[in-house]
Amino acid sequence: MHIPDGFLTAQVYLPAAGLSAAGLAWGLKRTEKLDEKRIPLLGAMGAFIFAAQMVNFPVAPGVSGHLLGGALAALSLGPAAAGVIMTAVLLIQAFFMHDGGITALGANVLNMAILAPWVAYFTYQAVTRVLPGRFGNTIGIFFASWLSVLLAALAAALELGWSGMFALNVILTTMALWHILIGIGEGILTTLALNYLVQLKPADIAGEAKE
Amino acid sequence: MKHKKKILLLASFLVVLFLAPFASSWPDGLERVAEDLGFADAAREFALPALLPDYTVPGLPWEKLGTVIAGIVGVALVYGFLQLLAKFLWRADGVARGR
């Protein structure tokens, strides 16, 4: 859901860029502490998310999706670090691959680097509070990932609608429709990656750990 | 954590090498919506040229090789950029700087 140049008006992309900058700074300030042992993982996590984003999988005839990674980063390294990681991925994609616009970068950061990680983080916490144990952990990861994609897509839809690309309610509905499906892929891939690749428990994200 | 880092980096290269060249070429959710609602043509290329436009190497006739090269360059760039950034944003004990 990388928004290209030309889809957003300045009245939308400028405030989005401002919000993104403020959001990243606030996230870094708010986060108590990133477990020092996890700092070396930042680069590797960004590298993996960049790679995984290249792999589009079909979700319906004529539509594909790919891992977004905001939930994966947030649930392994915390939402503030995830913001930094996702922003790095989006920067390289925009400037070197023209995947996502330069003027739209602020909006893309807002949707995918700030909103998606925080949605995943809070959703995971809420689900595991209701459902403790291994089952709750898996359901929490899956649902948090799914919702992070859906809400990021709806944010993109709002920005497109406010830019006058089409009637807002139609953009919202169609974006929601495809991303409800794409989010299932996000849920499966994030669950697998957290359990078998990163092997980190979301519950012990440093500084925000809860027992 | 050292081995987790190695596993993630190894996985990144395996994904670029063996999965990225065979990715679905169907439009993603947003591209599909833009096509269906008829505003896909509003997309503009920024004046600044990209080094690896759409994950291809311009002028290289082997498209899948281009994808792999673009992927490896991208992985290296993201990794290097974040390694540098991590040094500035977090102190060695994990506390965010500038608090």
Side-chain angles (χ1 to χ4, degrees):
Chain A
M1 67 182 85
H2 294 52
I3 302 173
D5 285 314
F7 278 13
L8 300 181
T9 55
Q11 289 97 310
V12 173
Y13 69 66
L14 290 178
L19 271 177
S20 290
L24 286 173
W26 175 81
L28 283 170
K29 262 200 145 58
R30 182 199 172 278
T31 310
E32 295 283 304
K33 200 167 179 295
L34 177 65
D35 176 0
E36 75 260 34
K37 291 201 278 321
R38 298 191 186 201
I39 295 174
L41 285 184
L42 251 80
M45 180 60 70
F48 179 73
I49 289 173
F50 178 91
Q53 284 205 4
M54 289 180 72
V55 185
N56 283 63
F57 49 81
V59 293
V63 193
S64 72
H66 59 71
L67 181 81
L68 183 63
L72 174 61
L75 298 182
S76 51
L77 300 170
V84 175
I85 292 170
M86 294 302 291
T87 302
V89 171
L90 291 168
L91 267 172
I92 302 295
Q93 287 172 331
F95 282 99
F96 289 88
M97 286 84 186
H98 278 187
D99 188 11
I102 310 275
T103 56
L105 188 58
N108 284 326
V109 167
L110 188 63
N111 307 339
M112 293 184 271
I114 298 174
L115 187 66
W118 283 100
V119 165
Y121 175 73
F122 285 122
T123 309
Y124 175 82
Q125 301 236 313
V127 172
T128 48
R129 204 161 293 150
V130 182
L131 293 169
R134 269 195 65 170
F135 177 72
N137 180 57
T138 305
I139 296 293
I141 295 170
F142 184 90
F143 186 62
S145 311
W146 177 81
L147 197 63
S148 74
V149 165
L150 181 59
L151 291 192
L154 290 180
L158 279 176
E159 292 151 7
L160 293 166
W162 287 333
S163 295
M165 297 313 287
F166 209 84
L168 182 59
N169 60 336
V170 180
I171 298 192
L172 279 170
T173 319
T174 46
M175 280 293 277
L177 184 75
W178 296 126
H179 289 89
I180 282 169
L181 295 176
I182 294 170
I184 297 173
E186 185 85 6
I188 296 171
L189 292 173
T190 305
T191 310
L192 289 174
L194 274 175
N195 284 332
Y196 297 104
L197 212 55
V198 197
Q199 297 176 356
L200 288 172
K201 282 196 201 68
D204 37 63
I205 294 167
E208 341 234 3
K210 57 178 195 72
E211 287 307 313
Chain B
M1 288 298 155
K2 271 253 153 62
H3 80 275
K4 285 190 201 305
K5 178 178 170 177
K6 279 187 193 150
I7 289 173
L8 268 176
L9 286 176
L10 179 68
S12 311
F13 285 109
L14 291 178
V15 166
V16 166
L17 220 54
F18 295 107
L19 297 179
F22 307 102
S24 166
S25 55
W26 281 339
D28 73 9
L30 172 60
E31 290 163 347
R32 175 63 190 259
V33 166
E35 284 172 19
D36 287 348
L37 301 185
F39 63 85
D41 292 339
R44 292 281 171 272
E45 284 292 311
F46 200 71
L48 212 70
L51 186 68
L52 302 159
D54 293 318
Y55 305 88
T56 60
V57 178
L60 187 79
W62 304 285
E63 198 187 311
K64 286 196 183 347
L65 181 64
T67 305
V68 171
I69 293 172
I72 290 174
V73 171
V75 160
L77 283 171
V78 171
Y79 177 75
F81 182 73
L82 278 170
Q83 288 290 101
L84 261 175
L85 209 59
K87 278 207 170 88
F88 291 110
L89 290 178
W90 280 278
R91 302 198 317 237
D93 59 0
V95 178
R97 284 179 195 270
R99 304 185 69 232

